[in-house]
Amino acid sequence: MIDKNKLEYFFFASFTKLFKTLGLKKTRKLGKAAGTIIYCFIPLRKQVVLNNLTNAFPQKNRKEIKEIALRNYQSIAITFFEFMYFPSSSVEEIASILEVCETESAKKLLADKKSFVFLSAHFGNWELSAMSWSVKCGRPFHVLAQPQRNPYVTEWLTSARESFGNKVIYLGVSVRHLIEAIKNNEIVVVAGDQRGPVESPRISFLGIPTAYHLGTAAIILKTKSSVVVGFCLRQRDNNYKMQLETLDLEGLPQDKDEQAVELQRRYIQLLEKYVKLYPEQYFWMHKIWKY
């Protein structure tokens, strides 16, 4: 009997070898073409994307929504194809495609060489965020990730994410390891924008009450960590600009539960700002407003 996981991984690994042969420029072109084909001919979560964009931008007409949706499929395909290519890259190539734009407070925090939590999101090339920025910083990051259904793919992803010195922490044992990493003066990376369970508190995202996990916010408060919020944004030439800002942790409520909600709200406000500027680069394929 054919092992489905091994068969899936065979095709996955074949693509990674193809992209290594093609090089980055052609891999990106192939990604854009693949995104176009999927959008036009394979309705993979297409209605979810269109519904999300319609809810997020009610002022836009149907034509504008569809144009953003097409670019969104192209952007996501490029992101995934790039990620399969990057483990074969050199440190110099990774560093050359990223420009870091940081506020003065973020620059100072980096210069201090202390631990902090790096909050990112499924936006732009989120996988490149930790990979490239750690290369620029010269410091390894501890990246929180979710294991995949296919164990062979999970093993490959772990190797890819750790190929430039980072360490992966998988959900399930994450809390203890995250706290240990922070106490050891390490940098922890979390994408904090995923939908939380139905009982989660609601925080406005693009004007709509949205359920969010507060576990990372609770860890930040427990460890009294500084927080950098950053997004790896694709530019017209397909290279990237990393926008970094420190999260304001002053003036939080007295109640600890309310503190976590307010911290998450401030992070989501920063995410909103960039999603409005680059709507095609957010990961609209998940049902963020499921309930």
Side-chain angles (χ1 to χ4, degrees):
M1 184 176 179
I2 297 176
D3 187 326
K4 181 181 177 181
N5 287 334
K6 286 186 177 179
L7 184 62
E8 288 176 349
Y9 179 70
F10 170 78
F11 287 109
F12 180 85
S14 296
F15 274 108
T16 65
K17 291 177 182 178
L18 171 64
F19 299 150
K20 181 178 180 180
T21 301
L22 290 176
L24 181 56
K25 187 174 181 179
K26 290 181 179 178
T27 293
R28 286 167 165 170
K29 286 184 177 180
L30 189 59
K32 184 176 181 179
T36 302
I37 292 169
I38 293 170
Y39 176 81
C40 294
F41 302 107
I42 307 172
L44 179 64
R45 302 189 74 80
K46 186 173 180 178
Q47 198 56 52
V48 173
V49 172
L50 292 172
N51 289 343
N52 281 341
L53 286 169
T54 300
N55 290 331
F57 303 103
Q59 74 279 11
K60 295 186 182 296
N61 61 41
R62 191 66 174 172
K63 180 181 178 182
E64 290 173 315
I65 293 296
K66 287 184 176 181
E67 288 173 350
I68 295 172
L70 171 59
R71 297 201 306 273
N72 186 238
Y73 274 74
Q74 293 168 342
S75 176
I76 290 171
I78 292 170
T79 292
F80 284 133
F81 282 22
E82 283 179 336
F83 181 53
M84 287 188 276
Y85 166 83
F86 282 138
S88 64
S89 299
S90 65
V91 170
E92 291 75 19
E93 184 177 31
I94 289 290
S96 70
I97 64 174
L98 180 75
E99 176 189 358
V100 178
C101 299
E102 54 203 350
T103 61
E104 286 302 317
S105 56
K107 189 179 295 184
K108 183 179 184 303
L109 186 60
L110 291 171
D112 288 342
K113 300 293 183 181
K114 295 180 180 178
S115 67
F116 59 85
V117 173
F118 174 38
L119 274 178
S120 190
H122 294 84
F123 186 33
N125 192 324
W126 58 90
E127 291 287 358
L128 185 63
S129 295
M131 188 184 292
S132 59
W133 193 33
S134 65
V135 168
K136 287 278 189 178
C137 291
R139 295 179 65 185
F141 295 171
H142 292 257
V143 182
L144 184 65
Q146 184 169 348
Q148 300 299 303
R149 174 189 55 78
N150 188 320
Y152 301 105
V153 174
T154 297
E155 184 178 350
W156 185 92
L157 290 172
T158 301
S159 176
R161 287 165 174 155
E162 295 184 344
S163 57
F164 292 94
N166 292 340
K167 299 296 180 183
V168 174
I169 301 173
Y170 280 110
L171 290 171
V173 294
S174 56
V175 174
R176 177 170 57 84
H177 288 159
L178 287 177
I179 293 174
E180 286 178 357
I182 293 169
K183 287 182 177 179
N184 290 333
N185 205 35
E186 303 287 353
I187 298 170
V188 167
V189 182
V190 181
D193 61 314
Q194 291 296 278
R195 184 190 70 238
V198 66
E199 65 272 13
S200 300
R202 300 311 194 257
I203 297 168
S204 178
F205 175 54
L206 295 169
I208 304 172
T210 308
Y212 282 110
H213 290 286
L214 296 181
T216 302
I219 291 173
I220 291 168
L221 293 167
K222 179 180 177 65
T223 57
K224 298 181 180 179
S225 297
S226 298
V227 181
V228 173
V229 178
F231 308 112
C232 193
L233 306 170
R234 186 177 294 108
Q235 305 300 296
R236 288 183 179 275
D237 62 358
N238 277 325
N239 287 335
Y240 291 91
K241 181 179 290 186
M242 177 78 82
Q243 295 284 355
L244 300 174
E245 302 184 34
T246 53
L247 192 65
D248 179 13
L249 301 180
E250 297 297 323
L252 294 174
Q254 293 296 317
D255 182 82
K256 289 192 175 182
D257 290 338
E258 291 181 6
Q259 285 179 355
V261 172
E262 175 61 16
L263 191 155
Q264 181 73 10
R265 186 187 67 80
R266 295 180 186 184
Y267 155 69
I268 293 299
Q269 282 185 327
L270 286 178
L271 174 60
E272 276 185 335
K273 180 174 74 172
Y274 290 103
V275 170
K276 289 175 181 178
L277 292 172
Y278 301 88
E280 74 284 354
Q281 294 192 38
Y282 190 58
F283 191 74
W284 296 110
M285 290 186 178
H286 70 297
K287 294 183 178 180
I288 190 168
W289 296 302
K290 185 176 180 179
Y291 34 72

